[in-house]
Amino acid sequence: MSVASLPDLNVLPGEALRALILAQHEQLLSAEDRLTATQEQLQSREREIEHLQLLLAKLHRMQFGRKSEKLQRQIEQLELRLEELESHRSEKECNAAEPAPVIASSTPAAAKPARRALPDHLPRQTRRHEPKETVCPQCQGELRKLGEDVSEMLEYVPASFVVIRHLRTKLSCTKCDCIVQAEAPSRPIARGMAGPGLLAHVLVSKYCDHLPLYRQSEIYARQDVELERSTLADWVGGSAQLLEPLVEALRRYVTAASKLHADDTPVPVLAPGNGKTKTGRLWTYVRDDRPAGDSAAPAVWFAYSPDRKGEHPERHLEKFHGTLQADAYAGFNQLYENGRIQQAA
């Protein structure tokens, strides 16, 4: 019952007045119970968030000290759950009409991350907001500039497509049949319509952001750009061919080091014809001797093989001379037989 709907207490009989007081008391008790339940739920979420943060920190420490392919998936699932809880908490805070009364609790408040300054390298757009008053609203006196307040907001400009038209003018001689025209600009992929920026975006989205090609096709369709998955796949294959010289230069640089770290990891690969997956291997070779004072840039070279036979690392490191740090996989043993490569256990 709201205050506006209260009857005139001066003329209200005693029994009705006692009934009104009892009803108000019951409403207050019910509201207090609901508030207590809500606060207990919020405290439970805070404890769950703290528990997930501690568990994530522990898993991140274990990630490079334990050989478990499931560990990364566990971390990703926990991060998703943590994001959901924190988003739900922020939603509750934004929807709250007024701050809830503070109740003493032994549970410390969750520390929020400090707001960092926006990066200096980002372009700035200045939007000026001038006062609508041109003279003093009190005495009609002249206004002079006293200063200004500056605040920044981070905004995102969605990626967009642009069509670049190449116009090549034809010129003909007025005295003979000679025709001159500028050469057509080269394309990253022969007869392909994708520019280098679009190809780079497709590759980064697929391999760095783990965005499959069919999802990219759906994203582009929202901008009325129809790019079939088969077309994107052709671009990925053509880009891989373009990058082969760079990959070869990276391989030479990595294997020119005197010490390498090597390991392999399983990757699911589609098996053509049966619609299932098989297990391939990614061999990882790392050059990084910065802890020993080396100033050379660190680098990683990946090599793929359809199985885990020892002939693959033997072929990969056929020109390497130095120390190899790897696990106890038997496929590496034949590398140490002739002394060209020393084992770092």
Side-chain angles (χ1 to χ4, degrees):
M1 182 181 296
S2 62
V3 176
S5 62
L6 283 176
D8 188 358
L9 300 180
N10 295 324
V11 299
L12 196 66
E15 291 295 333
L17 183 59
R18 284 192 293 270
L20 177 61
I21 294 176
L22 289 175
Q24 292 288 338
H25 182 65
E26 291 177 357
Q27 289 183 5
L28 288 175
L29 291 178
S30 177
E32 185 178 356
D33 291 340
R34 290 196 300 269
L35 179 60
T36 302
T38 301
Q39 289 177 341
E40 290 178 353
Q41 183 180 7
L42 291 176
Q43 290 176 2
S44 175
R45 289 184 178 275
E46 293 291 344
R47 287 192 294 268
E48 185 175 2
I49 289 175
E50 292 176 0
H51 172 70
L52 288 176
Q53 289 174 340
L54 291 174
L55 188 56
L56 273 175
K58 180 179 179 181
L59 289 176
H60 279 301
R61 288 194 300 270
M62 296 168 56
Q63 186 174 10
F64 299 102
R66 171 184 168 189
K67 186 174 179 58
S68 173
E69 302 300 333
K70 297 181 180 179
L71 188 58
Q72 184 62 34
R73 290 193 291 271
Q74 293 176 3
I75 292 177
E76 292 173 356
Q77 292 299 319
L78 285 174
E79 287 177 340
L80 289 175
R81 176 59 179 162
L82 184 58
E83 289 177 3
E84 179 183 355
L85 287 171
E86 292 178 338
S87 299
H88 185 73
R89 180 180 62 184
S90 299
E91 180 182 355
K92 291 294 185 181
E93 292 176 352
C94 292
N95 291 337
E98 59 183 12
V102 178
I103 296 180
S105 172
S106 59
T107 304
K112 292 187 177 182
R115 178 178 295 182
R116 298 184 178 90
L118 297 179
D120 294 333
H121 69 274
L122 295 179
R124 258 69 174 176
Q125 296 181 1
T126 302
R127 300 182 182 180
R128 306 196 68 87
H129 304 276
E130 302 293 345
K132 62 181 180 180
E133 296 86 355
T134 57
V135 294
C136 177
Q138 297 182 5
C139 67
Q140 305 302 312
E142 182 183 358
L143 297 176
R144 68 175 185 274
K145 186 175 181 179
L146 179 63
E148 58 186 10
D149 294 331
V150 179
S151 61
E152 292 188 333
M153 176 187 297
L154 185 63
E155 185 57 284
Y156 174 74
V157 179
S160 58
F161 290 95
V162 61
V163 178
I164 299 178
R165 302 181 64 195
H166 296 281
L167 299 178
R168 297 186 295 136
T169 304
K170 289 183 178 180
L171 301 176
S172 62
C173 179
T174 57
K175 295 183 179 180
C176 64
D177 296 333
C178 179
I179 298 177
V180 295
Q181 186 181 27
E183 294 184 359
S186 62
R187 297 172 179 256
I189 299 178
R191 296 183 298 278
M193 65 176 180
L198 177 56
L199 292 177
H201 177 70
V202 171
L203 293 178
V204 170
S205 299
K206 176 177 173 59
Y207 294 107
C208 296
D209 300 333
H210 308 288
L211 198 61
L213 295 180
Y214 77 91
R215 291 184 181 173
Q216 294 190 48
S217 178
E218 295 172 353
I219 293 173
Y220 303 150
R222 291 202 295 265
Q223 302 185 47
D224 295 330
V225 179
E226 300 293 337
L227 294 175
E228 300 294 335
R229 181 174 58 178
S230 57
T231 301
L232 297 176
D234 291 340
W235 291 355
V236 171
S239 301
Q241 185 177 6
L242 287 172
L243 293 174
E244 283 184 359
L246 180 60
V247 175
E248 175 60 23
L250 180 62
R251 183 197 66 81
R252 292 196 302 267
Y253 175 77
V254 170
T255 55
S258 59
K259 182 169 63 179
L260 286 183
H261 309 267
D263 199 1
D264 68 289
T265 184
V267 289
V269 182
L270 287 177
N274 56 15
K276 299 181 180 179
T277 60
K278 59 181 181 179
T279 301
R281 290 283 164 174
L282 270 182
W283 301 86
T284 308
Y285 301 96
V286 181
R287 172 181 179 172
D288 186 4
D289 211 15
R290 289 175 296 177
D294 189 4
S295 59
V300 183
W301 174 53
F302 293 93
Y304 170 78
S305 67
D307 51 54
R308 204 190 184 194
K309 295 180 180 179
E311 62 188 36
H312 302 300
E314 186 176 13
R315 184 180 71 256
H316 299 156
L317 301 177
E318 59 183 356
K319 296 182 180 180
F320 172 68
H321 295 264
T323 304
L324 180 67
Q325 185 175 16
D327 56 19
Y329 169 54
F332 291 119
N333 293 340
Q334 54 192 347
L335 298 173
Y336 314 128
E337 293 178 353
N338 57 10
R340 177 174 57 89
I341 298 177
Q342 294 78 38
Q343 179 183 9

